[in-house]
Amino acid sequence: MENNQKLVHAFHEALGIDSNLIKDNLTYQSIPEWDSISHMILISQLEEDFNVSIETDDVIDLSSFKKAREILIKLGINF
Amino acid sequence: MLLRDKFCLITGASKGIGKAISEIFAKEGAIIIATGRDLESLNLMVSDLPVYSAPHLVFKMDVTKEEDVLRVFNELSQNKIFIHCIVNNAGIMEDATLQMVKTDLIHKIYNTNVLGTILPSQNAIKHFLRNRCGSIINLSSIIGTKGNLGQSIYGSSKSAIIGFTKSLSKELAPLNIRVNAIAPGFIDTDMIKGMDQKFYEKNLKAIGMRRLGKPEDVAKVALFLASDLSEYVTGQIIGVDGGMII
């Protein structure tokens, strides 16, 4: 699975939403499924799927699907 | 065994209550991740622990230093070790009436007792999410629940732990992560060794059971909170004080 698909899958698993809703403009708390609780599950899912460690500043910064990709790129993941 | 194959991180593990908790957890099959500032005494403590499935681990970690806490949790994650339980035991007690307290001492007590509980907890949550469960056990104090003269700084730092425990338990309950605290009374540890004799005797008389608590008394409650025996218990502050009245 290429990394963009992997990222969509991580969001789908963590937030429990349909994959076609997962686009760059999907933002934190814009839908009921992406609340503070599921945000923690999402962080854990991303760490597990991409084998990275996301530090607190980035946990807070990860405010959209687009931002998630940017943070993963910063952590050495290629898209 | 109540904690077979469970990774349990204990701060301030080398002596006193931290040591007693490490011992009772290890006897119940846990793999101890002992942390503290003194590597030599941590290694010594761990060398006496029974080993069942995997060796215990030791890390030098000062809970007041964020870089230390991050380093330990990152090293664990990189080695695919995800903890099931954390005991935030590291703490200091220094007594003085408020008029006699220097600001440096306030920072020192709050950094160790409060920040030193919050930072490891924050990092532990990601581990618990991997395991789909977890238990945070914080060490408060009877001084935090009842207050005591000459202990406004120490007491308020331990009260902060109660507030932290109660709020965090609500935040993490939907994720199957439990957060509880123990409020020990007068326990026979190094912390009370240097205590003024009059003060010591006064405290002893205030204990209904007429004896000092042992570190093992606290460790048994920590074992309950770490294990599945307490799987439906969260947000609680459990006194271990022999019926002490302050």
Side-chain angles (χ1 to χ4, degrees), chain A residues 39 43 46 53-63 67-68 70-72 74-75, chain B residues 126:
Chain A
H39 189 67
I43 298 296
L46 294 173
S53 179
I54 302 173
E55 297 199 355
T56 307
D57 286 347
D58 287 331
V59 172
I60 296 162
D61 274 355
L62 204 156
S63 55
K67 193 74 190 174
E70 288 170 15
I71 287 169
L72 289 170
K74 191 179 77 177
L75 294 172
Chain B
K126 287 200 281 185

mmCIF file of all heavy atoms in Angstrom, chain A residues 39 43 46 53-63 67-68 70-72 74-75, chain B residues 126:
data_model
loop_
_atom_site.group_PDB
_atom_site.id
_atom_site.type_symbol
_atom_site.label_atom_id
_atom_site.label_comp_id
_atom_site.label_asym_id
_atom_site.label_seq_id
_atom_site.Cartn_x
_atom_site.Cartn_y
_atom_site.Cartn_z
ATOM 1 N N HIS A 39 -8.789 11.818 18.432
ATOM 2 C CA HIS A 39 -7.505 12.397 18.020
ATOM 3 C C HIS A 39 -6.348 11.598 18.626
ATOM 4 O O HIS A 39 -5.360 11.318 17.948
ATOM 5 C CB HIS A 39 -7.434 13.865 18.466
ATOM 6 C CG HIS A 39 -6.253 14.606 17.905
ATOM 7 N ND1 HIS A 39 -6.112 14.887 16.561
ATOM 8 C CD2 HIS A 39 -5.147 15.113 18.504
ATOM 9 C CE1 HIS A 39 -4.967 15.540 16.363
ATOM 10 N NE2 HIS A 39 -4.375 15.686 17.534
ATOM 11 N N ILE A 43 -3.456 9.525 16.615
ATOM 12 C CA ILE A 43 -2.006 9.671 16.801
ATOM 13 C C ILE A 43 -1.366 8.287 16.988
ATOM 14 O O ILE A 43 -0.334 7.962 16.381
ATOM 15 C CB ILE A 43 -1.695 10.576 18.036
ATOM 16 C CG1 ILE A 43 -2.248 11.996 17.826
ATOM 17 C CG2 ILE A 43 -0.193 10.603 18.336
ATOM 18 C CD1 ILE A 43 -1.646 12.778 16.691
ATOM 19 N N LEU A 46 -1.299 6.415 13.674
ATOM 20 C CA LEU A 46 -0.256 6.912 12.771
ATOM 21 C C LEU A 46 1.124 6.425 13.220
ATOM 22 O O LEU A 46 1.949 6.014 12.397
ATOM 23 C CB LEU A 46 -0.273 8.452 12.722
ATOM 24 C CG LEU A 46 -1.520 9.098 12.095
ATOM 25 C CD1 LEU A 46 -1.483 10.614 12.262
ATOM 26 C CD2 LEU A 46 -1.635 8.741 10.616
ATOM 27 N N SER A 53 7.483 8.301 15.928
ATOM 28 C CA SER A 53 7.070 8.825 17.227
ATOM 29 C C SER A 53 6.671 10.290 17.042
ATOM 30 O O SER A 53 7.471 11.102 16.580
ATOM 31 C CB SER A 53 8.219 8.694 18.219
ATOM 32 O OG SER A 53 7.827 9.226 19.453
ATOM 33 N N ILE A 54 5.436 10.596 17.360
ATOM 34 C CA ILE A 54 4.937 11.962 17.160
ATOM 35 C C ILE A 54 4.988 12.707 18.495
ATOM 36 O O ILE A 54 4.344 12.298 19.461
ATOM 37 C CB ILE A 54 3.500 11.948 16.592
ATOM 38 C CG1 ILE A 54 3.479 11.167 15.265
ATOM 39 C CG2 ILE A 54 2.967 13.359 16.386
ATOM 40 C CD1 ILE A 54 2.088 10.935 14.689
ATOM 41 N N GLU A 55 5.769 13.771 18.539
ATOM 42 C CA GLU A 55 5.936 14.492 19.805
ATOM 43 C C GLU A 55 4.776 15.455 20.063
ATOM 44 O O GLU A 55 3.997 15.774 19.160
ATOM 45 C CB GLU A 55 7.286 15.202 19.808
ATOM 46 C CG GLU A 55 8.406 14.168 19.744
ATOM 47 C CD GLU A 55 9.746 14.694 20.183
ATOM 48 O OE1 GLU A 55 9.863 15.907 20.453
ATOM 49 O OE2 GLU A 55 10.680 13.884 20.249
ATOM 50 N N THR A 56 4.702 15.891 21.320
ATOM 51 C CA THR A 56 3.543 16.664 21.777
ATOM 52 C C THR A 56 3.222 17.873 20.885
ATOM 53 O O THR A 56 2.057 18.115 20.569
ATOM 54 C CB THR A 56 3.754 17.127 23.233
ATOM 55 O OG1 THR A 56 4.084 15.969 24.000
ATOM 56 C CG2 THR A 56 2.500 17.751 23.808
ATOM 57 N N ASP A 57 4.251 18.628 20.477
ATOM 58 C CA ASP A 57 4.005 19.810 19.635
ATOM 59 C C ASP A 57 3.294 19.419 18.340
ATOM 60 O O ASP A 57 2.405 20.122 17.856
ATOM 61 C CB ASP A 57 5.325 20.534 19.310
ATOM 62 C CG ASP A 57 5.852 21.285 20.526
ATOM 63 O OD1 ASP A 57 5.085 21.436 21.503
ATOM 64 O OD2 ASP A 57 7.026 21.699 20.508
ATOM 65 N N ASP A 58 3.709 18.294 17.771
ATOM 66 C CA ASP A 58 3.091 17.836 16.518
ATOM 67 C C ASP A 58 1.700 17.245 16.765
ATOM 68 O O ASP A 58 0.835 17.333 15.891
ATOM 69 C CB ASP A 58 3.993 16.806 15.824
ATOM 70 C CG ASP A 58 5.214 17.463 15.201
ATOM 71 O OD1 ASP A 58 5.122 18.645 14.816
ATOM 72 O OD2 ASP A 58 6.260 16.791 15.110
ATOM 73 N N VAL A 59 1.506 16.634 17.936
ATOM 74 C CA VAL A 59 0.165 16.127 18.285
ATOM 75 C C VAL A 59 -0.822 17.292 18.261
ATOM 76 O O VAL A 59 -1.941 17.196 17.742
ATOM 77 C CB VAL A 59 0.164 15.463 19.691
ATOM 78 C CG1 VAL A 59 -1.257 15.124 20.131
ATOM 79 C CG2 VAL A 59 1.029 14.202 19.693
ATOM 80 N N ILE A 60 -0.387 18.428 18.784
ATOM 81 C CA ILE A 60 -1.245 19.618 18.828
ATOM 82 C C ILE A 60 -1.400 20.223 17.423
ATOM 83 O O ILE A 60 -2.483 20.645 17.032
ATOM 84 C CB ILE A 60 -0.656 20.664 19.815
ATOM 85 C CG1 ILE A 60 -0.655 20.074 21.243
ATOM 86 C CG2 ILE A 60 -1.430 21.969 19.779
ATOM 87 C CD1 ILE A 60 0.257 20.770 22.212
ATOM 88 N N ASP A 61 -0.286 20.216 16.670
ATOM 89 C CA ASP A 61 -0.303 20.811 15.318
ATOM 90 C C ASP A 61 -1.098 20.002 14.304
ATOM 91 O O ASP A 61 -1.502 20.530 13.257
ATOM 92 C CB ASP A 61 1.137 20.937 14.790
ATOM 93 C CG ASP A 61 1.781 22.224 15.258
ATOM 94 O OD1 ASP A 61 1.068 23.020 15.891
ATOM 95 O OD2 ASP A 61 2.980 22.412 15.011
ATOM 96 N N LEU A 62 -1.295 18.732 14.593
ATOM 97 C CA LEU A 62 -1.935 17.854 13.602
ATOM 98 C C LEU A 62 -3.442 18.155 13.541
ATOM 99 O O LEU A 62 -4.266 17.472 14.142
ATOM 100 C CB LEU A 62 -1.665 16.389 13.980
ATOM 101 C CG LEU A 62 -1.738 15.369 12.857
ATOM 102 C CD1 LEU A 62 -0.911 14.141 13.187
ATOM 103 C CD2 LEU A 62 -3.164 14.956 12.551
ATOM 104 N N SER A 63 -3.747 19.208 12.825
ATOM 105 C CA SER A 63 -5.115 19.728 12.843
ATOM 106 C C SER A 63 -5.913 19.412 11.579
ATOM 107 O O SER A 63 -7.056 19.832 11.453
ATOM 108 C CB SER A 63 -5.065 21.243 13.052
ATOM 109 O OG SER A 63 -4.236 21.798 12.058
ATOM 110 N N LYS A 67 -2.217 18.395 7.181
ATOM 111 C CA LYS A 67 -1.159 18.638 8.170
ATOM 112 C C LYS A 67 -0.529 17.306 8.618
ATOM 113 O O LYS A 67 0.675 17.243 8.886
ATOM 114 C CB LYS A 67 -1.770 19.385 9.369
ATOM 115 C CG LYS A 67 -0.763 19.971 10.317
ATOM 116 C CD LYS A 67 -0.088 21.199 9.740
ATOM 117 C CE LYS A 67 1.075 21.602 10.621
ATOM 118 N NZ LYS A 67 1.850 22.695 10.041
ATOM 119 N N ALA A 68 -1.336 16.276 8.691
ATOM 120 C CA ALA A 68 -0.819 14.953 9.082
ATOM 121 C C ALA A 68 0.250 14.510 8.083
ATOM 122 O O ALA A 68 1.313 14.016 8.468
ATOM 123 C CB ALA A 68 -1.955 13.941 9.130
ATOM 124 N N GLU A 70 2.060 16.453 6.162
ATOM 125 C CA GLU A 70 3.243 17.319 6.332
ATOM 126 C C GLU A 70 4.101 16.872 7.514
ATOM 127 O O GLU A 70 5.325 16.853 7.429
ATOM 128 C CB GLU A 70 2.792 18.769 6.554
ATOM 129 C CG GLU A 70 2.243 19.441 5.304
ATOM 130 C CD GLU A 70 1.581 20.800 5.604
ATOM 131 O OE1 GLU A 70 1.791 21.348 6.710
ATOM 132 O OE2 GLU A 70 0.844 21.269 4.729
ATOM 133 N N ILE A 71 3.429 16.507 8.602
ATOM 134 C CA ILE A 71 4.176 16.074 9.798
ATOM 135 C C ILE A 71 4.904 14.754 9.516
ATOM 136 O O ILE A 71 6.068 14.577 9.899
ATOM 137 C CB ILE A 71 3.227 15.972 11.019
ATOM 138 C CG1 ILE A 71 2.848 17.391 11.481
ATOM 139 C CG2 ILE A 71 3.865 15.185 12.166
ATOM 140 C CD1 ILE A 71 1.718 17.459 12.488
ATOM 141 N N LEU A 72 4.232 13.860 8.821
ATOM 142 C CA LEU A 72 4.877 12.575 8.495
ATOM 143 C C LEU A 72 6.064 12.781 7.546
ATOM 144 O O LEU A 72 7.104 12.122 7.704
ATOM 145 C CB LEU A 72 3.854 11.605 7.893
ATOM 146 C CG LEU A 72 2.820 11.065 8.891
ATOM 147 C CD1 LEU A 72 1.711 10.320 8.164
ATOM 148 C CD2 LEU A 72 3.477 10.156 9.928
ATOM 149 N N LYS A 74 7.925 15.406 7.515
ATOM 150 C CA LYS A 74 8.970 15.938 8.402
ATOM 151 C C LYS A 74 9.665 14.806 9.168
ATOM 152 O O LYS A 74 10.847 14.874 9.476
ATOM 153 C CB LYS A 74 8.311 16.931 9.384
ATOM 154 C CG LYS A 74 9.285 17.749 10.195
ATOM 155 C CD LYS A 74 8.557 18.713 11.114
ATOM 156 C CE LYS A 74 8.002 17.998 12.331
ATOM 157 N NZ LYS A 74 7.346 18.870 13.298
ATOM 158 N N LEU A 75 8.906 13.756 9.462
ATOM 159 C CA LEU A 75 9.461 12.626 10.222
ATOM 160 C C LEU A 75 10.121 11.574 9.303
ATOM 161 O O LEU A 75 10.464 10.480 9.745
ATOM 162 C CB LEU A 75 8.361 11.979 11.069
ATOM 163 C CG LEU A 75 7.779 12.851 12.192
ATOM 164 C CD1 LEU A 75 6.574 12.192 12.843
ATOM 165 C CD2 LEU A 75 8.843 13.151 13.255
ATOM 166 N N LYS B 126 0.214 7.305 25.089
ATOM 167 C CA LYS B 126 0.394 6.735 23.754
ATOM 168 C C LYS B 126 0.710 5.235 23.838
ATOM 169 O O LYS B 126 0.306 4.457 22.983
ATOM 170 C CB LYS B 126 1.496 7.477 23.002
ATOM 171 C CG LYS B 126 1.036 8.860 22.563
ATOM 172 C CD LYS B 126 1.868 9.429 21.441
ATOM 173 C CE LYS B 126 3.156 9.988 21.964
ATOM 174 N NZ LYS B 126 3.952 10.664 20.932
#
